[in-house]
Amino acid sequence: AQTVTQSQPEMSVQEAETVTLSCTYDTSESDYYLFWYKQPPSRQMILVIRQEAYKQQNATENRFSVNFQKAAKSFSLKISDSQLGDAAMYFCAYRTTGTASKLTFGTGTRLQVTL
Amino acid sequence: DTGVSQDPRHKITKRGQNVTFRCDPISEHNRLYWYRQTLGQGPEFLTYFQNEAQLEKSRLLSDRFSAERPKGSFSTLEIQRTEQGDSAMYLCASSLGRQGGYEQYFGPGTRLTVT
């Protein structure tokens, strides 16, 4: 079974600084998708960024980028120029490419952004 | 497009009562997922539908839980004889499936409290 591990329960970053959230996963599949989701307090979960395992190039979305290390099964999220609105729970998630398209989530990292 | 909606947003019930939640996916999304999220944890997969067919159920979905998606539109999740351990946030998500992409769009969730 696939597992996703987020070893940082909480992180803090100053506004305008950069922070990296860690995620590791375990799978025997060779092709899969990885995601970072953001869940603001009392608000719904939204997709931040996704990575296809067959792509070697790291995904980027504006201030968000990932460091995908397939051999190490590592998928970290870097947030640059942090903003107060980035404060949220961040979940790393895994999905196979098969028809069973459920997401497997990590336990999350709570990100605080300070002035 | 109004996004995924869930009703009710909050439900308080006494142990032993039955409860039913509703999810309205984004129109024309053929896949619909139910997840459960307890405090401090990431969402855990419960079940998913492709159109009206329930294709996968997690072992978390005991026989007290039943989900339906008549006509492949909205879905309901019923919990019979609720227990205190059922207290959680129940999340619904929908997607277009492989052809239309693979992003799952989440609803705001229904928070269940069993007293």
Side-chain angles (χ1 to χ4, degrees):
Chain A
Q2 296 84 11
T3 58
V4 177
T5 301
Q6 293 180 250
S7 59
Q8 305 156 315
E10 289 192 15
M11 293 284 285
S12 182
V13 63
Q14 283 192 320
E15 199 177 18
E17 297 297 307
T18 295
V19 65
T20 298
L21 308 184
S22 302
C23 173
T24 58
Y25 59 95
D26 188 25
T27 182
S28 57
E29 303 285 334
S30 60
D31 198 14
Y32 46 85
Y33 302 108
L34 295 165
F35 305 86
W36 279 98
Y37 277 87
K38 170 185 178 182
Q39 188 176 42
S42 301
R43 293 180 61 188
Q44 61 206 79
M45 197 168 307
I46 58 174
L47 180 66
V48 174
I49 197 166
R50 62 176 168 237
Q51 174 79 43
E52 292 90 343
Y54 66 87
K55 291 186 178 179
Q56 292 186 340
Q57 187 173 9
N58 289 324
T60 62
E61 286 287 342
N62 301 314
R63 298 182 296 107
F64 300 87
S65 61
V66 298
N67 183 3
F68 173 48
Q69 302 289 328
K70 191 173 183 179
K73 295 181 181 174
S74 171
F75 183 60
S76 60
L77 174 70
K78 185 170 83 170
I79 306 174
S80 305
D81 185 26
S82 297
Q83 300 175 358
L84 293 177
D86 294 334
M89 283 291 290
Y90 285 81
F91 292 98
C92 179
Y94 165 99
R95 175 185 173 269
T96 68
T97 58
T99 54
S101 55
K102 63 185 179 186
L103 291 168
T104 300
F105 287 87
T107 52
T109 296
R110 181 174 302 282
L111 178 66
Q112 293 183 324
V113 181
T114 59
L115 295 171
Chain B
D1 187 350
T2 56
V4 178
S5 61
Q6 293 186 246
D7 184 67
R9 295 290 304 276
H10 302 273
K11 179 71 177 178
I12 300 173
T13 191
K14 292 184 177 178
R15 186 165 51 96
Q17 297 295 306
N18 299 343
V19 294
T20 300
F21 310 141
R22 176 179 171 126
C23 171
D24 286 88
I26 294 173
S27 55
E28 298 181 355
H29 275 194
N30 60 337
R31 292 189 176 184
L32 187 147
Y33 309 80
W34 285 99
Y35 294 86
R36 182 171 70 185
Q37 185 178 20
T38 54
L39 202 61
Q41 299 296 316
E44 295 175 292
F45 170 77
L46 292 178
T47 189
Y48 103 94
F49 293 83
Q50 180 155 310
N51 300 312
E52 66 276 8
Q54 188 173 19
L55 295 187
E56 187 176 352
K57 292 194 293 186
S58 162
R59 282 175 290 181
L60 291 175
L61 212 67
S62 76
D63 55 8
R64 296 185 298 106
F65 287 69
S66 63
E68 294 183 341
R69 193 183 182 198
K71 302 179 183 178
S73 55
F74 70 92
S75 175
T76 58
L77 178 67
E78 181 183 17
I79 309 174
Q80 296 182 328
R81 305 181 303 282
T82 53
E83 302 172 356
Q84 287 189 321
D86 297 331
S87 295
M89 176 76 85
Y90 289 85
L91 298 171
C92 177
S94 70
S95 75
L96 266 175
R98 197 165 188 169
Q99 290 77 11
Y102 39 82
E103 178 177 352
Q104 293 185 21
Y105 294 81
F106 283 82
T110 294
R111 182 169 295 284
L112 174 65
T113 302
V114 182
T115 62

